[in-house]
Amino acid sequence: FIGKYSIRNPGTEKIYLSFIFPYPMKQGEGMLRNVKLLVNDKEDIENTEYQQNLILWTGLLEPAQSLEMQVQYAGRGLNHFIYGFAPGKQINHFKMKIDVLGSGSVNYPVSTMTPTETTDTDEGTTLTWKLNSVLTQLNIGVLLPDRINIARQISVMTQRAPAFFLMFLASLCIILAISGYPLNFIRIVIISIAYFLFYPLFAYLSVYMNVVLSFILSFGVIGLLIFNYSRVVYRLNTAMANAAAYTFYLGITSIATLLPTYTGLILVIEGVVLLAIAMQVLSQHRDIKISEIFGRPDAAKDEKDDPCAGGKNDEAM
């Protein structure tokens, strides 16, 4: 937010001026950062107080003197933005522009006036209010629903999906090689399809329900599908390892995307944990080679460990 205010003393005597700007949020709601009050393009630290609920500037204004006040801040976690006017005061030469990113439709809070101009852009919607010689009890405001930010985060999530999927696929191949299973193309394709179905499922559910609930439901359903399928065609230990890989490469990375403030920290911690797991596993399988990961173990072990193969032998008997 950047608000510019021009103040002029029209009298012949100097006046004592108090400029008060209340913060646009309630206690425990959202967060403001980079809050600044500029007086004639610079901060007046001596006469400015940044209080819990407002900014206060006090000073003397000489006759015919003008001041240019500018309020700046960036908001986070707010579900709406409302700009209020002093009740019973005429509004002159007022202009405000709000850019709402990632949304094709915009809603407004109760008791607020609609914009005088609405423009659709490539990034969202631009709202403009131009008021002159207006007397009103209404304020200016716009609702900022969670789905706007979620839509952007889901877009980022899907852009990163191929890279994390390749890591998941590599881990899946290593798990199967260590477990002594051959790389069965059809089985890997089925697991891969289930993996990618998480994204459209989460995207559609987030439209109709809470984001946290939709993520838990999507992640849980797809995870159960992958775990149960792996349990049927492989051993239980292999299924648990596949589920762990799914959690690391889809679950944790998705959470990191949904929490952009902590994305770097989450991914770094995840990388350290994955490295520790890889070092531990490879230390127990020192003789494993890359060719073995993409090769086919001997048929005897395959038939012994594969429950599907065992079922065929039983039928033959």
Side-chain angles (χ1 to χ4, degrees), residues 147 150 154 201-211 214:
R147 63 175 177 269
I150 290 303
I154 290 178
L201 180 61
F202 176 49
Y204 281 109
L205 286 180
S206 63
V207 175
Y208 301 102
M209 62 178 64
N210 179 269
V211 174
S214 60

Side-chain angles (χ1 to χ4, degrees), residues 248 272-283:
F248 270 103
V272 172
V273 174
L274 285 174
L275 179 61
I277 294 175
M279 294 172 68
Q280 178 66 23
V281 172
L282 293 178
S283 66

Side-chain angles (χ1 to χ4, degrees), residues 117-224:
E117 295 180 12
T118 302
T119 305
D120 293 330
T121 65
D122 294 337
E123 297 181 346
T125 305
T126 298
L127 311 175
T128 305
W129 287 264
K130 295 180 180 179
L131 306 175
N132 189 29
S133 300
V134 174
L135 188 63
T136 179
Q137 298 295 325
L138 300 177
N139 296 321
I140 286 175
V142 60
L143 293 177
L144 304 173
D146 289 340
R147 63 175 177 269
I148 294 179
N149 294 330
I150 290 303
R152 296 177 63 192
Q153 297 311 116
I154 290 178
S155 176
V156 174
M157 191 185 301
T158 53
Q159 291 174 7
R160 298 174 179 174
F164 291 120
F165 170 72
L166 291 177
M167 298 172 68
F168 170 77
L169 187 61
S171 298
L172 184 63
C173 294
I174 294 174
I175 291 171
L176 295 179
I178 292 176
S179 301
Y181 288 102
L183 297 184
N184 186 293
F185 177 76
I186 295 178
R187 294 177 183 177
I188 292 179
V189 167
I190 292 175
I191 294 176
S192 301
I193 292 174
Y195 181 98
F196 274 108
L197 278 177
F198 164 82
Y199 297 102
L201 180 61
F202 176 49
Y204 281 109
L205 286 180
S206 63
V207 175
Y208 301 102
M209 62 178 64
N210 179 269
V211 174
V212 176
L213 180 60
S214 60
F215 175 81
I216 293 174
L217 187 60
S218 303
F219 178 77
V221 169
I222 300 300
L224 285 175

Side-chain angles (χ1 to χ4, degrees), residues 8-210:
R8 182 176 180 274
N9 180 7
T12 57
E13 297 181 359
K14 60 183 178 181
I15 60 175
Y16 185 79
L17 177 68
S18 294
F19 179 86
I20 302 173
F21 186 90
Y23 298 139
M25 63 181 186
K26 299 179 181 179
Q27 183 71 25
E29 179 184 274
M31 177 182 69
L32 299 183
R33 52 188 175 85
N34 300 329
V35 180
K36 287 184 180 181
L37 174 63
L38 303 182
V39 181
N40 291 334
D41 297 327
K42 61 181 180 180
E43 279 194 276
D44 186 3
I45 302 298
E46 294 182 357
N47 299 311
T48 304
E49 295 182 25
Y50 294 96
Q51 300 181 9
Q52 183 176 1
N53 299 317
L54 54 85
I55 304 174
L56 172 63
W57 180 88
T58 55
L60 291 175
L61 197 58
E62 299 293 337
Q65 182 184 1
S66 297
L67 287 179
E68 297 295 330
M69 315 291 288
Q70 185 176 124
V71 179
Q72 302 177 357
Y73 66 81
R76 183 182 182 87
L78 303 176
N79 56 14
H80 66 271
F81 173 84
I82 295 180
Y83 185 89
F85 299 104
K89 299 291 185 179
Q90 188 177 29
I91 306 170
N92 295 307
H93 308 294
F94 177 87
K95 180 180 179 181
M96 174 175 283
K97 183 176 73 172
I98 298 178
D99 294 320
V100 182
L101 302 179
S103 175
S105 60
V106 179
N107 295 318
Y108 307 95
V110 178
S111 301
T112 59
M113 66 181 77
T114 56
T116 54
E117 295 180 12
T118 302
T119 305
D120 293 330
T121 65
D122 294 337
E123 297 181 346
T125 305
T126 298
L127 311 175
T128 305
W129 287 264
K130 295 180 180 179
L131 306 175
N132 189 29
S133 300
V134 174
L135 188 63
T136 179
Q137 298 295 325
L138 300 177
N139 296 321
I140 286 175
V142 60
L143 293 177
L144 304 173
D146 289 340
R147 63 175 177 269
I148 294 179
N149 294 330
I150 290 303
R152 296 177 63 192
Q153 297 311 116
I154 290 178
S155 176
V156 174
M157 191 185 301
T158 53
Q159 291 174 7
R160 298 174 179 174
F164 291 120
F165 170 72
L166 291 177
M167 298 172 68
F168 170 77
L169 187 61
S171 298
L172 184 63
C173 294
I174 294 174
I175 291 171
L176 295 179
I178 292 176
S179 301
Y181 288 102
L183 297 184
N184 186 293
F185 177 76
I186 295 178
R187 294 177 183 177
I188 292 179
V189 167
I190 292 175
I191 294 176
S192 301
I193 292 174
Y195 181 98
F196 274 108
L197 278 177
F198 164 82
Y199 297 102
L201 180 61
F202 176 49
Y204 281 109
L205 286 180
S206 63
V207 175
Y208 301 102
M209 62 178 64
N210 179 269

